[in-house]
Amino acid sequence: MTASKRLFGSADGLWSGLHLAPGSAPGIALAPAAQAAIVVQQGMIQWIGKAAELPAQYAGLKRHEGSGALVTPGMVDCHTHLVYGGQRASEFALRLAGASYEDVAKAGGGIVSSVRATRAASEDELFASAAARLEVLLAEGVCAIEIKSGYGLALEHERKQLRVARRLGEAYGVTVRTTFLGAHALPPEYAGRQNGSSEYIDLVCQEMMPALAAEGLIDAVDVFCERIGFSLEETGRVFKAAQALKLPVKLHAEQLSDMGGSALAAGHGALSCDHIEHLSQAGIDAMRNSGTVAVLLPGAYYTLRDTQLPPIEALRAAGVPMAVSTDHNPGTSPCLSLLLMLNMACTLFRLTVPEALAGVTLHAARALGLQDTHGVIAVGLPANFVLWNVREAAELAYWLGGKPVRTVVRQGLIR
Ligand code: NIG
Ligand code: FE
């Protein structure tokens, strides 16, 4: 895949002939058949409502004809590892032959093999490969994306990944939230040392995180809290260091086992706990109390042929907001389609269509702390919305491999 260049036009004007997907514009309830309109001025949403109630002052604006398109907020992909060197198709083959994700990791493959390839790549090489992947996500209507580090595992290489993430945001006019995931795996040079894990966590907390935060490269901090990742105690140390720097936290939690990470994260006011297949009721209660978002990652569940479903019914009963994301990464989720995740969230995890749609918009924005600017269509927000060639919202989750996007408006521009 290679990156390409395109020219864009302003989205300013009157967008007419639209149908508003349910839940897309808080406070605005239109009958399904009612036509909606959106007014964009200077890249911002100036007005949204029933077309029949359009204020006269906007009637003469340049018109963008929707021709009955369904409109949703711009999609938000709230958990990705988009920047890395190489790929890991060979592991896919190993798993097909019976190896588990943990087997592959213990045998020196897994995350550490992406670390080798990422360290070997230049910043420009990483930019080019990640840009090509980003373009695929953007073409499906993604308007905000989280990008984690965690394949460098040394200051200069984590910096390289995070710099690429920032550059992608600027080059593509897409909101990028960077997450420092220095505590993703034990770097090879620390493996086999007596206190290697603890020493590496010291490096993460005392050197890497403060330096990268000072360079403005970190929007949030994450840890892989797992048997093959870092312990609860080590996770707590990383969270403490993050809080000292006033950085919000999130967690790869309870993916392969119940480590109790979600309750710890919730206790630190985490933005989100992600994966959570093995989440306990105590974890759910803690997340509800702290307003932490549950990020569901059906692509990893599917790729690893997991059989442990996240506790969807209990999360729903507790009122914990559920987001849905690609978890794009070269190991457990080489997925470049948020729409496919919408389908899998419904088919595999039994979310309803409105829940899944809120999961890739409203709740995904909240998982990134972007709830004031993304995830809904509302007056005063930057114009981020998608016109779809479908008649009803359920079609967004229903078609497999369709290409339903008609037009993407991202940061006030038609893309
Ligand atoms: O979200 N679980 C840890 N991190 C990634 C996988 C990373 C990898 O295998 O490269 C995930 O699934
Ligand atoms: Fe992940």
Side-chain angles (χ1 to χ4, degrees), residues 79 81 88 91 101 110-111 114 151 181 184 224 252 255 275 297 300 304 327 329-333:
H79 178 141
H81 309 248
R88 308 223 302 268
E91 274 175 33
Y101 182 60
I111 295 172
S114 291
Y151 292 120
L181 181 56
H184 193 196
F224 184 27
H252 277 74
Q255 180 185 10
H275 287 287
L297 304 170
L304 296 178
D327 188 17
N329 75 75
T332 64
S333 191

Side-chain angles (χ1 to χ4, degrees), residues 119-175:
R119 287 180 175 181
S122 71
E123 186 175 312
D124 286 344
E125 285 166 347
L126 290 178
F127 180 90
S129 63
R133 295 188 282 266
L134 180 63
E135 288 189 5
V136 182
L137 291 167
L138 297 182
E140 257 189 11
V142 168
C143 291
I145 184 168
E146 186 245 25
I147 301 179
K148 299 176 195 290
S149 69
Y151 292 120
L153 310 186
L155 179 58
E156 62 171 312
H157 298 294
E158 290 286 300
R159 175 188 287 126
K160 188 169 67 176
Q161 274 193 281
L162 294 169
R163 280 174 49 89
V164 168
R166 285 273 187 259
R167 279 175 57 191
L168 288 168
E170 285 156 22
Y172 284 88
V174 57
T175 302

Side-chain angles (χ1 to χ4, degrees), residues 23 73-80 141-148 175-177 179 220 250 271-274 291-297 320-327 338 341-342 351 354-376:
M75 312 273 266
V76 179
D77 196 353
C78 66
H79 178 141
T80 85
V142 168
C143 291
I145 184 168
E146 186 245 25
I147 301 179
K148 299 176 195 290
T175 302
V176 168
R177 299 299 280 175
T179 297
K250 42 179 56 229
L271 289 171
S272 69
C273 291
D274 304 37
T292 298
V293 177
V295 177
L296 305 174
L297 304 170
V320 173
M322 293 182 277
V324 174
S325 167
T326 60
D327 188 17
L338 197 50
M341 296 303 97
L342 204 60
L351 262 60
E355 281 175 334
L357 204 49
V360 293
T361 52
L362 182 68
H363 296 153
R366 183 161 162 193
L368 298 180
L370 291 176
Q371 61 274 19
D372 293 337
T373 51
H374 291 73
V376 293

